[in-house]
Amino acid sequence: MPETVLVTGGAGFIGSHTCVELLDHGYEVVVVDNHANSSPHVLDRIAKTASRPLTAAHLVDVRDREALGHVFAAHRIDSVIHFAARKAVGESVERPVEYYDTNVGGTCALLSAMHEHGVHRLVFSSSCSVYGDARTLPLTEHSPVAPTNPYARTKLMCERVLEDICELLPQMRVLALRYFNPVGAHPSGLLGEDPCGVPDNLMPYVAQVAVGRRERLSVFGDDYPTPDGTGVRDYIHVMDVAEGHRVAVGHLDDSPGLRVFNLGTGAGTSVLELIAAFTEASGRPVPHQVVDRRPGDVAALVADASAVAEAWGWTTTRDLAAMCADAWRFQTLNPDGYPR
Ligand code: UFG
C-alpha cells in the first residue's frame, strides 16, 4: 500500500509544489486548504502537473478540529505535512492575534486530531525568521533563536508545542524544517507563487514589476552592514523545498521526538544581486528605488545547510539563475496570476 500524506495548505505556494513531488514519487496525497491565501484553481494545476491525481482535497480550515477529524476518519493517513499558516511579517505586526490563532491554534487543532486518530508522524513548516537578527552567519540549527516579529514568534511557539508533545508521547516523530527564502516556480510554469493583493515578498514583487503589472520595486534600505548595503537572504528554489519535504517524509522514522533542520542553500544574495539576476533571466529591466528600511527586517540570514546533507545525504541543486528563470516563466504564462 502506498503511504498516504495529508498536506495542509496543499494549494499554497510550497504546498502545491510538494503535492506534485509526493505524487510523482508514489505517495497518495490528501489536501486540506481553506483557500484563505490560495486559489482553488491550483488543484487543477496540480492535476495537470503531477503524474497521478490527488486522492482528495478538502475545503477545511485547519483550526476546525471537528472538520479535521472527519478528514482523518475518511482516509488512512500515515503522515502529515503542515504548511497551512499565515506568513506575512508586516501583517503579523498589524494583526498578531490572527497570526497566533491560525498558526499556533491551527497547529494545536491538527495535533489533537492527529493524536485522536493515531497519526504521529509530522513534517512542520518552520522558518529561518526564528533566528531573528543573527550575529553570526551562517546559521546552524544550534544558533540562538530570537524572533523579531509575531509571525516568527508563532513559528517558534509551534516548535515549542511540538517539543512538549514529543516529550509526552514517545510515538511522535516530528521534523521541523526552518526554511530560508523559498522562491521560483515549477519549471512547467503551471505552478508558482501568486500572493493575493500586493506581494509582501521580494521575488513575486520583482516578477510583477518585470512583467509590467507594477511600476517599480521599493528596495527597503541600502544602509545595512552587508557588501552592497541591501538585505541579504538565502533564496532556495521551491522545487528544492518540495524535494526536501518528500525526502523528510522518508526520514520521519529515523528517530523519535522532534528534530529541527534548516532548509537553505548556504548562499547569500542581496536585493540588488537578485534584481540583477532577474533582469538577466527575463531580459526585462526592473525599475527600483531605495526607500527606508522595512520595520522588523534584519540585515542578513544565511543557512548552514550541512545538517540535512549529513542526515539525509540530500542537498539543494537549483541555483539563483534557475530560481529567476522559473519565476519569470510562471509570471509570463500567468501575468495576472491564477484565475480567482
Ligand atoms: N525586500 C525589498 N523590497 C520588497 C520586498 C522585500 O527590498 O518589496 C527585501 C527585504 O527588505 C529583505 C529581502 O528583500 O531584505 C527579502 O524579503 P522578503 O519579504 O522576500 O522575505 P523575508 O526575508 O522578510 O522573509 C519572510 C519570512 C520568511 C519567509 C519569507 C518568504 O520571514 O519566513 O518571507 O515567504 F520564508
Side-chain angles (χ1 to χ4, degrees):
M1 281 276 277
E3 193 176 318
T4 301
V5 184
L6 174 70
V7 180
T8 75
F13 174 44
I14 307 174
S16 57
H17 290 76
T18 303
C19 287
V20 171
E21 171 75 12
L22 290 168
L23 290 166
D24 286 350
H25 284 81
Y27 289 91
E28 297 282 323
V29 179
V30 175
V31 164
V32 156
D33 204 302
N34 69 349
H35 301 300
N37 191 29
S38 68
S39 161
H41 201 81
V42 172
L43 300 170
D44 299 335
R45 297 291 181 93
I46 293 173
K48 286 198 178 98
T49 313
S51 51
R52 296 183 314 106
L54 289 169
T55 301
H58 298 274
L59 184 66
V60 165
D61 187 314
V62 80
R63 290 166 296 183
D64 186 342
R65 198 177 141 179
E66 202 183 318
L68 280 175
H70 294 311
V71 175
F72 280 98
H75 306 279
R76 189 193 47 81
I77 305 291
D78 297 293
S79 51
V80 178
I81 305 182
H82 180 34
F83 292 111
R86 291 170 163 265
K87 62 150 202 167
V89 171
E91 188 188 55
S92 79
V93 178
E94 304 293 320
R95 290 141 80 165
V97 176
E98 289 176 30
Y99 271 68
Y100 287 103
D101 184 30
T102 303
N103 295 8
V104 183
T107 300
C108 292
L110 176 66
L111 285 167
S112 304
M114 283 174 65
H115 184 49
E116 210 173 296
H117 291 84
V119 180
H120 296 97
R121 302 165 82 243
L122 173 70
V123 179
F124 174 72
S125 282
S126 190
S127 166
C128 67
S129 60
V130 299
Y131 296 115
D133 208 352
R135 301 219 177 278
T136 318
L137 296 179
L139 293 152
T140 75
E141 291 79 356
H142 303 292
S143 297
V145 287
T148 58
N149 56 68
Y151 161 73
R153 278 189 280 277
T154 67
K155 290 294 175 181
L156 187 59
M157 209 169 274
C158 288
E159 286 191 12
R160 300 284 189 247
V161 171
L162 294 169
E163 211 173 299
D164 286 342
I165 194 165
C166 286
E167 194 65 36
L168 180 73
L169 302 174
Q171 65 270 46
M172 289 293 300
R173 273 130 178 81
V174 183
L175 285 165
L177 305 182
R178 292 178 177 164
Y179 321 146
F180 281 65
N181 288 56
V183 296
H186 192 275
S188 65
L190 284 171
L191 292 172
E193 185 168 17
D194 177 30
C196 294
V198 182
D200 289 296
N201 296 122
L202 180 62
M203 182 70 104
Y205 206 109
V206 166
Q208 291 189 10
V209 171
V211 85
R213 194 166 148 190
R214 301 194 186 274
E215 202 181 335
R216 72 166 54 78
L217 171 79
S218 295
V219 175
F220 297 141
D222 66 352
D223 57 352
Y224 283 106
T226 59
D228 66 18
T230 64
V232 167
R233 296 290 183 274
D234 184 339
Y235 296 96
I236 173 171
H237 198 300
V238 67
M239 297 293 291
D240 278 326
V241 178
E243 205 176 286
H245 282 79
R246 192 255 308 157
V247 173
V249 169
H251 283 277
L252 275 170
D253 290 331
D254 286 358
S255 67
L258 170 69
R259 284 164 296 151
V260 176
F261 286 108
N262 287 339
L263 222 51
T265 67
T269 302
S270 73
V271 176
L272 296 182
E273 285 169 338
L274 189 138
I275 294 171
F278 202 92
T279 305
E280 175 79 27
S282 64
R284 296 280 185 93
V286 179
H288 55 277
Q289 66 181 32
V290 176
V291 300
D292 287 346
R293 291 181 179 193
R294 180 173 63 177
D297 263 355
V298 299
L301 287 170
V302 179
D304 177 329
S306 60
V308 277
E310 276 159 34
W312 307 337
W314 174 85
T315 51
T316 61
T317 55
R318 295 150 179 104
D319 63 9
L320 186 64
M323 299 177 211
C324 293
D326 291 335
W328 179 238
R329 190 174 305 107
F330 176 74
Q331 187 64 60
T332 47
L333 290 176
N334 309 272
D336 299 314
Y338 294 118
R340 290 195 191 274

